[in-house]
Structures are given as structure tokens and as C-alpha cells.
Amino acid sequence: MANKENSRAIQKRTLMLVQLGVLTAIVVILQIIAIAMRPMFPAFTISLVLLPITVGAAIIGVHAGAWLGLAFGAAVLISGDANLFLVFNAPGTILVVLAKGLLAGTAAGFVYKLLASKSKTVAAACAGIICPIVNTGVFIVGSYLFFLPLISEWAGGIESSTTFIFFSMVGINFLVELGLNLVLIPVIVRLIEYGQDRRVT
């Protein structure tokens, strides 16, 4: 009996690590694709990275959402996508980029866990909504804390900084990310159900 329980525990942990590894790879690949597509869509960033973060947070748990969000942040830093901010304030950039991904994934996991017993569709929808909200919200807060002088220079004055942050830097990106997550809610639900059906019991 003990051997059987140990075997199940090992299988469950192995499955979780495989799922987490695959989703981590997907997060990194999608971030690379987003950067490669930027010349085609200079006004905003096409990003599907928050989708696997939401799925991982729901299938595996809050800790997986946090890890995948952290992987997203690391991919942003390594890819050079945050270089303009790194040059201005490296510690602040690293903190903001890693924190926004980690907190977005964590929030998605908590929201899904809280609502899943009532409705998986509602839970997935809410997790898909909260993920870009937290991701963008942390970036906005970080912009005011660490990058306001740089942003005010881009905006042409401190008075224009708030308008520049909300409309030029995050406005369209946030709407695109939120819209994609909402449109892909059925896909998210299917992926969650598929992953959960393969849990070792």
C-alpha cells in the first residue's frame, strides 16, 4: 500500500514538472514571437504570454502561476525588451518586470482556485481578466516609482506623464492582452480541463 502511494506521488510530481516545463517553454517562445512581431505592429505588442500563465495557474496551482509569471519576467529581461528602462534604472527595472509577472500569475491562480468549485468557465474567465490587470497595474505603479523622470522626458513634461503612461505606454497593450484573453476563454477552459483530466489520482 505504501509503495503504491509512493508511486502515485512520484507520478503526480513527474506530471506536474512536465506540465510546468512545457508551459515555461511556451511562455519563453511566445515572448520571443512577440518581440519578433513588433516591427509589424509598432503601436502595440501582440502577446499571448498571459494565456499559458493563466492555464498553468489553474491546472497546477498558484505556485505554478507565480513561477510562469517569473519566467515571463525573466524572458523580458533576457530578450532586451526592457533595455530602455534598464539603462535608466537597472534595479527598478528588474524589480518591476519580475514582480509584475510573478504577481499576475499568482493572482490568476488565487482567483481560479477561489471560483473553480462554482464554475470552471467563470473561474477561467476571471483568472484571464485578472492576469493582465495585475500585470499592467504593477507596471503603472513601477513607472511612477522608478521611471517618472524618464517618462516625463518622453512625454514632454511631468504634467503629460500620466496621459503618456495610460494612453501611449499601456493603454492599447492592455486592451489587446485583455481582449485576447477574453476571446480565448473557451480555449483556456478546454486546456484546463485537458490538463486536469491527466492528473494522477
Side-chain angles (χ1 to χ4, degrees):
M1 189 68 170
N3 288 337
K4 191 174 182 180
E5 289 179 359
N6 287 337
S7 177
R8 284 181 177 176
I10 291 171
Q11 289 177 353
K12 186 175 181 180
R13 182 171 178 80
T14 301
L15 177 61
M16 182 196 74
L17 290 174
V18 170
Q19 289 175 331
L20 194 57
V22 170
L23 287 167
T24 301
I26 291 172
V27 165
V28 173
I29 290 168
L30 288 177
Q31 176 59 25
I32 293 170
I33 290 173
I35 294 171
M37 291 178 66
R38 183 157 298 161
M40 298 168 58
F41 303 95
F44 56 89
T45 301
I46 300 292
S47 178
L48 294 173
V49 173
L50 299 181
L51 175 62
I53 293 174
T54 303
V55 171
I59 293 174
I60 306 172
V62 176
H63 62 286
W67 165 259
L68 292 168
L70 200 60
F72 167 45
V76 170
L77 292 172
I78 293 170
S79 67
D81 205 25
N83 279 354
L84 288 174
F85 295 100
L86 274 169
V87 171
F88 179 77
N89 185 337
T93 301
I94 293 169
L95 177 62
V96 171
V97 170
L98 294 180
K100 73 187 185 74
L102 186 148
L103 292 175
T106 301
F110 272 121
V111 167
Y112 185 86
K113 184 177 180 180
L114 183 66
L115 301 175
S117 60
K118 299 176 182 178
S119 168
K120 288 184 179 180
T121 301
V122 171
C126 291
I129 291 169
I130 199 67
C131 198
I133 289 175
V134 172
N135 182 61
T136 302
V138 173
F139 176 76
I140 290 171
V141 172
S143 295
Y144 280 104
L145 290 176
F146 300 108
F147 313 124
L148 197 56
L150 177 65
I151 292 171
S152 66
E153 183 179 326
W154 292 344
I158 194 72
E159 299 82 5
S160 305
S161 297
T162 296
T163 302
F164 188 81
I165 290 172
F166 279 90
F167 291 97
S168 298
M169 294 180 68
V170 302
I172 297 177
N173 285 357
F174 170 72
L175 292 176
V176 169
E177 290 175 354
L178 182 61
L180 285 171
N181 272 22
L182 288 174
V183 168
L184 293 172
I185 287 301
V187 177
I188 295 174
V189 174
R190 289 286 182 87
L191 290 172
I192 291 168
E193 289 175 346
Y194 181 85
Q196 290 176 339
D197 286 344
R198 276 141 189 81
R199 284 179 175 172
V200 178
T201 56

